[in-house]
Amino acid sequence: MRHLLPSTLLIAAVFAFHAFALQIPFLGNRLYSLEENTRTATAFKLRHVFHHGTGANATLHRRLDVPKSHAFEAGISEFYLSSVSKNVTRLSQRDPDFMESYLAYTRRPNSIKITDFDWIHERVRTPNISDPETLGTLARMTADAYVAVPASKDWVDVGEPYNETLGFGWDDKGVRGHVFADDENKTVVVAIKGTSSTLFDSDGDTVSNDKINDNLLFSCCCARISYIWTTVCDCYQKSYTCSQTCLEDALYAEDKYYRGLLDIYRNTTSLYPTATIWLTGHSLGGSMAALLGRTYGVPTVAFEAPPERLAAQRLHLPFPPVPANESTIWHIGNTADPIFMGVCNGPSSACWVGGYAMETQCHSGLECIYDTVKDKKWHVSVSSHRIRAVIDMIEAYNNTPPCVERSDCQDCFDWEFV
């Protein structure tokens, strides 16, 4: 249950997814400390899977705890993540109650646009994105989030009680987060599940719901790219004219993925209140991780994520007033992936044919782009979007690419939002 602060208090404050996962074993993490000359190794293990319902089951939220007695002995025995200390600018107050109250406030009619946030500057540990092994490990963690969830009686209700008469299957609808933690619970990594689709060779039971969220997040106006398309919201008014308020409300709706992720983050931080949180994800999961990372100012590594800056602006997420190189949101992608590059659109594209209205082109944060077309002679294809291709790509390079802000980017320039 969310507890919203009174708007006056809020304004004043502002102005002041278990056994299935064992199939992909993640055992280790080595954190390289810049403040210490020694290297310390601790084990990163899958601790929980959160699954949040959407649509008619939006109030359902459950957690599956993975017993520590499960030994990850098969396959790769150990993974390593390196970290660095980085200057970060983020909101001084960013607990879930405050942030959800702020987000709810921005939805109110005639609400005052808040721009003068109370920012703080601090040093935090972040993933070392210049280390290929670290990127490869995070990519494998995101791959784990795609593993199918078998039936289990061990789910714990953290939302409204599960009613079996609804016919709700845990793989049927919803958003999923896999929570990994080190032995001392100092660092927690949450991997968000991405899009399941035959288009990306990852078919699954969440396909229809994933497509609705994709088309809402990455289209200019509810996937209204042609009169023959079925829209995912009712914000279209007339030719190239769309209701801005309607779009904002649709993105923040209770039955959409973003709201589900807010609950997953809230419950993760309640389990690990003193831990440093990192987020990661692939495809839709990467974009959702980036939105969540921007909401709470936590380090995020997104793989082949569709451009999400427009969605972040529509949700009124906080953008720190700092140079781009101080961002802690990194978008890892490659030039052969038309979805990441924002060019998978138009009647001849695979996305259009598959029913995906991928119109946005701008990422928030930094883009770290492998030039696989030039370096590896990859052909531009949605097959380059797959998480398996990402893992192979990272392993094929000795170094990671530079991470820069794309400044010459504009989304939906031919639309008017009223």
Side-chain angles (χ1 to χ4, degrees), residues 127-245:
N128 181 8
I129 50 87
S130 65
D131 175 33
E133 186 177 2
T134 295
L135 285 188
T137 299
L138 289 170
R140 289 181 173 89
M141 286 181 170
T142 67
D144 185 77
Y146 284 100
V147 178
V149 184
S152 173
K153 297 182 179 179
D154 298 326
W155 291 93
V156 176
D157 286 313
V158 291
E160 292 188 7
Y162 171 47
N163 183 353
E164 294 186 11
T165 62
L166 294 176
F168 178 75
W170 292 108
D171 280 342
D172 185 35
K173 298 182 186 297
V175 60
R176 197 160 66 225
H178 290 209
V179 179
F180 300 82
D182 62 29
D183 289 341
E184 297 180 356
N185 296 336
K186 289 184 176 180
T187 304
V188 170
V189 179
V190 182
I192 309 300
K193 177 189 171 296
T195 301
S196 293
S197 171
T198 53
L199 182 65
F200 312 131
D201 293 336
S202 58
D203 194 15
D205 292 333
T206 62
V207 170
S208 60
N209 222 44
D210 290 349
K211 181 181 287 187
I212 291 172
N213 282 270
D214 277 320
N215 285 345
L216 179 61
L217 288 160
F218 311 123
S219 70
C220 294
C221 183
C222 308
R224 183 48 164 84
I225 61 177
S226 168
Y227 71 91
I228 63 175
W229 278 59
T230 300
T231 57
V232 294
C233 53
D234 298 321
C235 307
Y236 178 81
Q237 294 186 346
K238 60 182 180 179
S239 180
Y240 290 99
T241 304
C242 196
S243 169
Q244 178 73 12
T245 301

Side-chain angles (χ1 to χ4, degrees), residues 298-312:
V298 299
T300 303
V301 179
F303 295 96
E304 308 295 346
E308 92 306 344
R309 190 179 75 183
L310 184 61

